[in-house]
Amino acid sequence: MDSGPTCPLRALPPCKVNNMHAHDDCLMHTCMNQQTHHTVYDPQTQGMLRLATRHSLKKSNHAFHVKSMASSLPGFVRCWGTPVSSPTPLDVPQDLGPVVAVATRDLHKCAITATKAVRCWGRWSYANAGMPADLGPAASLALGETYSCALLESGLVRCWGELMYSGVPPDLGPVVALSARSAHTCALTASGAVRCWGWDNLRQSSGVPNTVPVAAVVAPGALYTCVLGVTGSVTCWGQTDFVPPLDLGAVVAISGGVYHVCAMTAAGALRCWGSAFLKVPRDLGAVTSVISAGWDHTCAIVASSNALRCWGNVQGIVRVPADLGPVTSVSVATYHACAVTAGK
């Protein structure tokens, strides 16, 4: 682990839990040290992961390491908004206990407990059907609308639920980051490549450009996929509405929603673009790298207080519970959201 590259983003408070889900999505700060390696600030561990240059990645598969969320301080899951099914997945299991991460979709939810186990609830066929009994310690979660995936501490990816979209490519190999959105899943492999699978009607899975840089974060949306490179560049493919703005500049965190993308720039500003344009509130102020873009709404954590701010067109989510308190992570679905708080 790199102890101290010079990074202009160090003043930004790190988030403590990395959803990586699409997402959903406590994502990574990126910066460059003075040597010939890129470094990525990993908010799960509040430490630096050294990513070799593209030349070094071709020589070695050991430049990347899976970092577990379990090193984060555990908190408690709180969900709010409008349920879309009954029984509603907004009802958190009473015996869930402390967790280090939560991921949410419309009909099911999953969390990583303080003991690194995966717990899911909601519609059984999506949440638990086919869930491996020998899953093992989990590092992160990625949920589609009808399936669930976990990235294990070993680097393996395991998925269950609707097999049409959840089947893991047999040649995937070790993975260091995993994310999903509606019906496709993307992984950052140990060799530095981006691999996506699932729904592919606009080539959001298969259309990875040859020009994609060494990736730090993969952020899939409903019909598109974006990659944040270790140098801060953003590349998107699939639905053409999601081409990054020409004046975007270097980016340090990104989240893919259904109809829009939101990213935090190196200057500390939050920018959103896509087919559902969402104006960022003027009084938002500085935010952490915890951003979660949903249907046509977005949530972010305010840097000064760790309070959650949400805005957009889904009122049930925009109205954050008054007693929510500080949060470390948030995951947004179509009509509701879940967060990991510091207390019940």
Side-chain angles (χ1 to χ4, degrees), residues 28-107:
M28 295 182 179
H29 292 306
T30 60
C31 62
M32 182 94 69
N33 67 8
Q34 297 176 351
Q35 304 173 8
T36 59
H37 292 75
H38 299 296
T39 30
V40 175
Y41 182 85
D42 182 357
Q44 316 178 89
T45 59
Q46 302 185 28
M48 291 287 180
L49 310 180
R50 176 162 295 190
L51 304 185
T53 61
R54 183 180 292 276
H55 177 70
S56 298
L57 287 172
K58 292 180 180 178
K59 293 182 179 181
S60 171
N61 286 340
H62 301 290
F64 286 71
H65 302 278
V66 175
K67 293 298 177 178
S68 174
M69 295 183 218
S71 60
S72 303
L73 294 176
F76 296 90
V77 176
R78 183 86 179 272
C79 300
W80 67 96
T82 304
V84 294
S85 67
S86 182
T88 169
L90 300 184
D91 296 330
V92 179
Q94 293 184 355
D95 63 344
L96 180 61
V99 306
V100 295
V102 65
T104 175
R105 286 294 175 253
D106 285 350
L107 299 176

Side-chain angles (χ1 to χ4, degrees), residues 7 27 70 85 123 143 153 188 204 245:
C7 180
L27 299 174
S85 67
R123 180 169 291 185
L143 271 60
E153 288 188 341
L188 177 61
Q204 62 265 38

